[in-house]
Amino acid sequence: MHVLPQLRKLEEKYSDVLAVIGVHSAKFDAEKSSENVRGAVRRYGIGHPVVNDTEFEIGKSYAVRVWPTLMFLDPSGKIIGRHEGEFPVDALDGVIGGMIAEHEPSGMFKRGRLDLQPELQTDSVLSFPGKITGDPDRDLLVISDSNHRRLLITDLDGRVEGVIGNGESPLAIGDQRGVFGELELNEPIFDNPQGVVIDNDTLYVADAGTHTIVKVDLISGIAETFAGTGEQSLYRHEGGCAQKVPLNSPYDLSLNDGILYIAMAGFHQLWTLDLTERSVEPSIGDGGEDIVDGLKESAQLAQPYGVEVSNNAVFFIDSETSALRVSAIAEEGRVVTLVGKGLFDFGDADGVGKDALFQHPQGLAVSNDTIYVADSYNNKIKSVAIGSLEVKTIAGSVTQGDKDGYSTISQFNEPAGLTVVGDRIYVADTNNHKVKVIELDSGEVYELELSGI
């Protein structure tokens, strides 16, 4: 996922001579489903063919050790190079250009763009909504309509009161204003908006596609890049001036006392952004991908996708370790794992603490003494009692699907985000392209009908 934007640039530049085939080798059980892979291809706008290597046969035949691995084949099918890990696009551009020049005299190139027609998503109001945020004081919701590259502001019953972003990506049209400049709310603002924080009349948005934090002033109607350069950082660093430091896949946000906490999935860290000083820096995790507890600066995380500050603690979801973890806000605080065991330990089990199992959860919300978790690949919403650490399934059955009704028979499809407002949980049911509502009092689950758009 992290290299797709760079790969897309190369595919476009060399479209008449470079053929790309993606090979998907699953880690999680849910990722072995070809239907789920098909959904991911649509979700991430992948324009090349993808083979589902369910048993890792292709991966083993090419001695793949890390994700991602790029293999280069000449026109006769002979392997002429490989690259492991992420890459700077300019460097790889030079390599591919050299390979083409070397093999052009062979006469084996069949130039011309491949006639491939990507499978399109069926038309719907929402497209792969990633996160949802509630403001109980003003009875409103902000829905991250991620693949439509926009935010929808609605009341609690789904009436749309505002739209931010026009559906186009600032990456597609180029940056004529310098890191996207100041934009009106009906211009191209986001590429893949995810977590949102509501701060009175200001929104802060984690745009995973442009690797930026976007500030939206609802009074002036102006959006601006508040942190990030618009480029993905391919190396870990110590932070600095927010507008000069490249970020890496920010996915979720939480605000506490003027400090914005960022789930920085690409760095395997939590970062902080001081809104007054306008500076960013790593806060939790040393950047290594693993599940290691300890002091904040030496702990290890694995693709944090959700974060929420509550009760002087930072709760966060580590997706690749299927874990729920917590850290004290204090500088000398420690990281403690509440649910989760290892990079390859996952499943679907209620229980207490580490006896429970998630499968690639992606979102959380804290309400009173309970943490609610979007257990994405299990297609369930679960609760975790902060005191006892008892984990319970509160909605979603064992079957992936799209079904309303009582909580035990309801069905979701990779829910990624949720928010609690009063006695309701609002769920971004990502692969169903819907927002679902769970009534905590009655256990009823139903679709939030969006109107006024």
Side-chain angles (χ1 to χ4, degrees):
M1 288 166 53
H2 287 177
V3 303
L4 285 175
Q6 291 95 322
L7 194 59
R8 194 172 288 120
K9 294 176 183 178
L10 298 172
E11 291 181 83
E12 187 62 33
K13 180 173 181 177
Y14 298 106
S15 61
D16 66 332
V17 69
L18 176 67
V20 176
I21 299 174
V23 179
H24 171 74
S25 302
K27 168 183 170 181
F28 295 99
D29 292 340
E31 293 175 335
K32 294 181 179 181
S33 160
S34 291
E35 190 57 39
N36 288 350
V37 176
R38 178 177 285 111
V41 168
R42 291 199 300 263
R43 180 176 182 178
Y44 296 107
I46 297 173
H48 55 251
V50 176
V51 56
N52 187 9
D53 186 21
T54 55
E55 302 303 321
F56 199 49
E57 294 176 357
I58 298 174
K60 287 186 290 188
S61 72
Y62 285 96
V64 170
R65 302 175 300 172
V66 300
W67 289 263
T69 293
L70 305 181
M71 304 297 302
F72 300 92
L73 282 68
D74 72 8
S76 69
K78 179 183 177 182
I79 296 174
I80 55 176
R82 74 185 282 141
H83 176 84
E84 296 180 336
E86 299 179 14
F87 55 85
V89 67
D90 291 341
L92 201 58
D93 187 357
V95 171
I96 292 176
M99 290 179 177
I100 292 171
E102 179 181 349
H103 291 273
E104 185 83 74
S106 70
M108 297 180 69
F109 282 144
K110 192 181 241 184
R111 287 191 174 270
R113 183 185 285 266
L114 293 174
D115 184 21
L116 300 174
Q117 300 299 323
E119 195 175 73
L120 300 178
Q121 178 205 330
T122 56
D123 192 31
S124 59
V125 174
L126 300 176
S127 177
F128 296 102
K131 300 288 185 182
I132 184 167
T133 305
D135 185 340
D137 295 330
R138 290 190 284 182
D139 292 337
L140 63 81
L141 302 170
V142 179
I143 302 168
S144 297
D145 190 9
S146 303
N147 272 40
H148 281 151
R149 302 183 175 92
R150 64 183 182 178
L151 303 179
L152 300 184
I153 299 177
T154 79
D155 65 17
L156 298 183
D157 295 319
R159 176 162 185 81
V160 176
E161 299 177 350
V163 179
I164 302 172
N166 69 356
E168 296 182 33
S169 169
L171 298 176
I173 65 172
D175 181 15
Q176 292 100 14
R177 308 187 189 196
V179 198
F180 314 133
E182 291 188 348
L183 301 169
E184 296 182 4
L185 302 189
N186 61 352
E187 294 189 77
I189 298 174
F190 311 112
D191 183 74
N192 181 18
Q194 293 292 331
V196 176
V197 157
I198 304 171
D199 183 21
N200 297 316
D201 292 312
T202 300
L203 305 181
Y204 294 96
V205 186
D207 186 10
T210 61
H211 308 282
T212 61
I213 307 301
V214 178
K215 179 182 178 182
V216 179
D217 189 322
L218 297 176
I219 301 300
S220 67
I222 295 296
E224 62 170 318
T225 299
F226 197 78
T229 65
E231 296 289 334
Q232 178 186 15
S233 177
L234 297 181
Y235 58 91
R236 295 193 292 272
H237 51 80
E238 296 180 353
C241 176
Q243 287 186 299
K244 296 181 179 180
V245 169
L247 307 180
N248 193 345
S249 296
Y251 255 82
D252 200 16
L253 304 173
S254 186
L255 181 63
N256 182 74
D257 196 24
I259 302 296
L260 200 63
Y261 287 78
I262 307 169
M264 199 78 74
F267 284 143
H268 308 300
Q269 294 174 316
L270 296 185
W271 280 47
T272 53
L273 168 55
D274 188 314
L275 298 182
T276 302
E277 298 293 333
R278 203 158 179 174
S279 61
V280 291
E281 63 181 358
S283 172
I284 301 174
D286 68 2
E289 184 180 13
D290 207 337
I291 182 167
V292 177
D293 291 349
L295 294 175
K296 291 164 66 171
E297 66 271 15
S298 59
Q300 293 190 331
L301 284 53
Q303 292 189 17
Y305 269 21
V307 61
E308 182 158 340
V309 179
S310 179
N311 301 318
N312 284 321
V314 184
F315 296 94
F316 60 97
I317 288 291
D318 253 2
S319 295
E320 278 299 299
T321 55
S322 300
L324 169 64
R325 308 176 74 184
V326 65
S327 170
I329 290 179
E331 187 174 341
E332 67 278 7
R334 300 179 65 86
V335 173
V336 176
T337 298
L338 305 179
V339 179
K341 299 176 182 179
L343 277 166
F344 294 90
D345 294 295
F346 57 86
D348 182 6
D350 292 351
V352 176
K354 294 184 181 180
D355 289 335
L357 291 172
F358 299 140
Q359 185 179 186
H360 201 274
Q362 295 184 48
L364 81 166
V366 183
S367 179
N368 298 320
D369 58 355
T370 303
I371 306 165
Y372 296 96
V373 175
D375 193 2
S376 305
Y377 284 4
N378 285 327
N379 307 295
K380 293 181 176 181
I381 306 302
K382 296 184 178 180
S383 66
V384 183
I386 292 178
S388 67
L389 297 185
E390 183 178 8
V391 179
K392 295 180 179 179
T393 297
I394 64 167
S397 62
V398 296
T399 305
Q400 173 181 301
D402 182 5
K403 185 176 182 179
D404 296 341
Y406 189 68
S407 58
T408 55
I409 66 168
S410 62
Q411 295 175 352
F412 299 90
N413 193 344
E414 291 191 22
L418 71 171
T419 189
V420 181
V421 181
D423 293 325
R424 290 177 174 177
I425 301 176
Y426 294 85
V427 181
D429 194 7
T430 304
N431 284 7
N432 279 329
H433 315 293
K434 295 178 179 180
V435 170
K436 297 286 188 72
V437 181
I438 304 171
E439 295 282 358
L440 288 171
D441 289 341
S442 65
E444 182 184 4
V445 179
Y446 55 91
E447 179 185 355
L448 181 69
E449 296 286 349
L450 299 176
S451 60
I453 187 171

